[in-house]
Amino acid sequence: VNIYVARHGQDRDNANGILNGHRNEPLTDLGRQQAKDVATKMCKAGFSLTSTATAATDISPPSSTAFSLSAIYSSPLIRAHETANIFADILSGGGSDDATPNSCGDSTIEVEVLNDLIERDFGIMAGQPTSSIVEKCGKDHILPTEKINYFLDPPGAETFPDLVDRANRLLSHIQKITEKESDNNISILLVTHGDFGKMIYAAYYNLQWEEVLRQFHFGNSEVILLAKDSPPEKAHVFETLQFNA
């Protein structure tokens, strides 16, 4: 199975520089536009929705190539679920002024919620300003990167090893539910969050979580591909202009 992993668009906490975690704020207008822009790029690249997936794994398809998604799964949090519904709408052939008629087909898929796609529990850091991470956690309890300071173990928070364990559980579940498909070459879309999306990537490719946190920034509405014949360094499929972390 080819797994496309998308991060939600910008939400209110992102826009205000607030650490969200399990906080349940909706998308901003920019966040909705980010999701529309990336979904439209996917549409123009040949992605569509279908109940019988025939997706290829080349991450740079010619326009004549069909990339069929057989399912879209979302985190239960509103920012991810709203993003997933935007993807589903545009990839079914609607919702975008830029998408020409029939450019994505007319199949529809109902977004399904998977609770394990929820963002990391930020513990006491939820609701705190992003600028307060070093002060509240201490330099010895963060992993600094070029764009983000990742807090490691504040009270009540899931650690990154916890997230890797959850990601492995999620991948095992996906393997079980996709085994029922008659087509072995199927593709699905997971709409999740920044920290957890990177740990799905780490678990899939059996990489160290510290390495992955430093390796790349997983921005709002960006999409990465996890596939056996797609090496980890080529995971990014669609990126978008970022205005926040």
Side-chain angles (χ1 to χ4, degrees), residues 19 121-129 132 136-137 151 153-158:
L19 296 166
D121 188 337
F122 284 5
I124 66 167
M125 295 304 293
Q128 298 297 320
S132 71
K136 291 185 178 297
C137 297
F151 51 83
D153 52 4
E158 287 181 282

Side-chain angles (χ1 to χ4, degrees), residues 103-161:
S103 59
C104 276
D106 56 6
S107 296
T108 60
I109 287 178
E110 183 176 349
V111 174
E112 300 179 55
V113 170
L114 287 180
N115 288 331
D116 269 346
L117 285 170
I118 197 168
E119 176 59 302
R120 176 190 185 189
D121 188 337
F122 284 5
I124 66 167
M125 295 304 293
Q128 298 297 320
T130 56
S131 59
S132 71
I133 291 175
V134 176
E135 175 189 352
K136 291 185 178 297
C137 297
K139 293 183 178 180
D140 293 337
H141 295 272
I142 65 168
L143 189 154
T145 69
E146 183 178 346
K147 292 190 176 183
I148 296 176
N149 288 319
Y150 290 98
F151 51 83
L152 301 179
D153 52 4
E158 287 181 282
T159 65
F160 285 102

Side-chain angles (χ1 to χ4, degrees), residues 20-161:
N20 45 23
H22 287 184
R23 286 163 58 89
N24 207 13
E25 294 293 322
L27 297 179
T28 62
D29 289 342
L30 173 60
R32 284 184 282 274
Q33 190 60 52
Q34 288 172 329
K36 289 177 183 178
D37 289 347
V38 174
T40 299
K41 289 179 183 178
M42 293 179 70
C43 182
K44 290 180 176 179
F47 284 80
S48 62
L49 305 179
T50 181
S51 58
T52 304
T54 57
T57 56
D58 180 359
I59 65 174
S60 300
S63 58
S64 60
T65 302
F67 289 76
S68 301
L69 299 172
S70 63
I72 298 178
Y73 298 101
S74 169
S75 156
L77 296 177
I78 188 171
R79 58 189 184 269
H81 200 261
E82 188 177 356
T83 301
N85 281 324
I86 291 171
F87 274 85
D89 184 29
I90 291 177
L91 291 173
S92 67
S96 173
D97 295 336
D98 294 329
T100 56
N102 300 320
S103 59
C104 276
D106 56 6
S107 296
T108 60
I109 287 178
E110 183 176 349
V111 174
E112 300 179 55
V113 170
L114 287 180
N115 288 331
D116 269 346
L117 285 170
I118 197 168
E119 176 59 302
R120 176 190 185 189
D121 188 337
F122 284 5
I124 66 167
M125 295 304 293
Q128 298 297 320
T130 56
S131 59
S132 71
I133 291 175
V134 176
E135 175 189 352
K136 291 185 178 297
C137 297
K139 293 183 178 180
D140 293 337
H141 295 272
I142 65 168
L143 189 154
T145 69
E146 183 178 346
K147 292 190 176 183
I148 296 176
N149 288 319
Y150 290 98
F151 51 83
L152 301 179
D153 52 4
E158 287 181 282
T159 65
F160 285 102

